[in-house]
Amino acid sequence: MEFEEVFSSKPRMKILKLLNSLGQLNVSDIARRIKINFATIDGHLQLLEAEGIVKEYLYGRMRLYSFNETSEKAKAIQKLLQVWEQNKQSS
């Protein structure tokens, strides 16, 4: 997938911002916080996981997602979000 495709989706960006600020969330929590249906969020998470940006953890029947700590893409995105938020607060 191309760089632009990952970042061209507002829901995907909201997911990344949530995971960056809160750490680990399940699909239902993400869907509720973003106010988008479960199936749509699940599709975005699968795409982000396929790109290696997020990682799924299974706890029984619950699926939790967080940034993939071993992925250079994920680290770069987290850094970008941190810099963006720092600059937004100082403006």
Side-chain angles (χ1 to χ4, degrees), residues 29-82:
D29 284 338
I30 296 169
R32 185 176 37 80
R33 289 171 187 266
I34 296 178
K35 298 181 176 105
I36 296 176
N37 71 55
F38 180 95
T40 302
I41 293 297
D42 193 48
H44 287 299
L45 287 166
Q46 287 179 18
L47 184 142
L48 292 169
E49 186 177 20
E51 286 298 312
I53 298 168
V54 300
K55 187 170 182 176
E56 175 188 68
Y57 301 90
L58 294 174
Y59 293 102
R61 294 180 54 178
M62 187 181 298
R63 293 184 305 157
L64 298 173
Y65 286 88
S66 66
F67 271 96
N68 181 352
E69 297 157 1
T70 62
S71 166
E72 291 301 318
K73 286 180 188 179
K75 290 175 189 176
I77 292 168
Q78 284 181 296
K79 180 68 176 169
L80 172 66
L81 289 169
Q82 289 168 359

Side-chain angles (χ1 to χ4, degrees), residues 2 4 6 9-12 16 18 23 26-27 34-35 38 47 52 58 62 67-68 73 82-84 88:
E2 295 295 322
E4 299 85 11
V6 173
S9 167
K10 194 171 186 176
R12 275 196 292 276
L16 293 172
L18 262 179
N26 69 39
V27 182
I34 296 178
K35 298 181 176 105
F38 180 95
L47 184 142
L58 294 174
M62 187 181 298
F67 271 96
N68 181 352
K73 286 180 188 179
Q82 289 168 359
V83 169
W84 192 272
K88 186 171 81 172

